Amino acid sequence: MRALVIDDSRTMRRIVAGALEGLGFETLQAEHGRDALDQLEAGAEIDLACIDWNMPVMDGLELVTAVRANPDWRRITLMMVTTEAEHSQIVRALAAGAHEYLIKPFTPDAIRDKLDLLGLVPVEELA
């Protein structure tokens, strides 16, 4: 499975990508929503996108909306990974089409638990 980690912080991209790689994902990275869309438009095949909310150029909510507007990308699972912790923000992201929401800071186990809920943890990882 392939994941795209979208965050303007290089350090946070490395942390999220490392946790995903530990679960068997191949990862790609993007520094903002427009970069992520460019990769998708160029044909990047991904199963999961982990998306920060607050980024320059195109924020996470705009990215979720753009991905959901394209029927070719409907199968991509979208998970917000952000510091935005207000209930109204969580509701907005889920209403826009995000499948899950993880609040920073988090542990690698928290990512694994969210992916398990989404059915994206490989079977061997659950044993």
Side-chain angles (χ1 to χ4, degrees):
M1 299 232 293
R2 293 182 88 189
L4 179 57
V5 179
I6 306 111
D7 198 303
D8 58 320
S9 164
R10 180 180 296 131
T11 300
M12 189 53 63
R13 287 195 310 266
R14 273 191 284 220
I15 290 168
V16 175
L20 293 171
E21 289 164 4
L23 293 170
F25 282 84
E26 177 185 339
T27 61
L28 303 170
Q29 297 183 21
E31 62 181 310
H32 50 70
R34 183 68 250 172
D35 184 14
L37 276 183
D38 290 345
Q39 290 186 46
L40 290 171
E41 289 167 352
E45 293 286 329
I46 64 165
D47 304 292
L48 169 69
C50 293
I51 307 164
D52 184 30
W53 191 306
N54 299 302
M55 298 178 287
V57 184
M58 176 185 276
D59 70 30
L61 190 63
E62 292 170 318
L63 175 60
V64 168
T65 302
V67 169
R68 285 296 166 243
N70 186 326
D72 294 337
W73 301 332
R74 296 296 293 177
R75 63 170 186 70
I76 299 171
T77 300
L78 305 178
M79 181 168 71
M80 300 299 291
V81 181
T82 180
T83 57
E84 292 292 334
E86 288 184 30
H87 181 73
S88 63
Q89 298 293 71
I90 296 169
V91 170
R92 284 180 66 202
L94 296 175
H99 294 95
E100 231 351 304
Y101 201 98
L102 181 62
I103 298 169
K104 297 175 189 174
F106 55 84
T107 64
D109 284 343
I111 287 182
R112 185 183 176 285
D113 291 346
K114 292 288 186 180
L115 294 178
D116 188 22
L117 284 172
L118 294 167
L120 295 177
V121 175
V123 175
E124 59 272 13
E125 286 293 326
L126 294 175

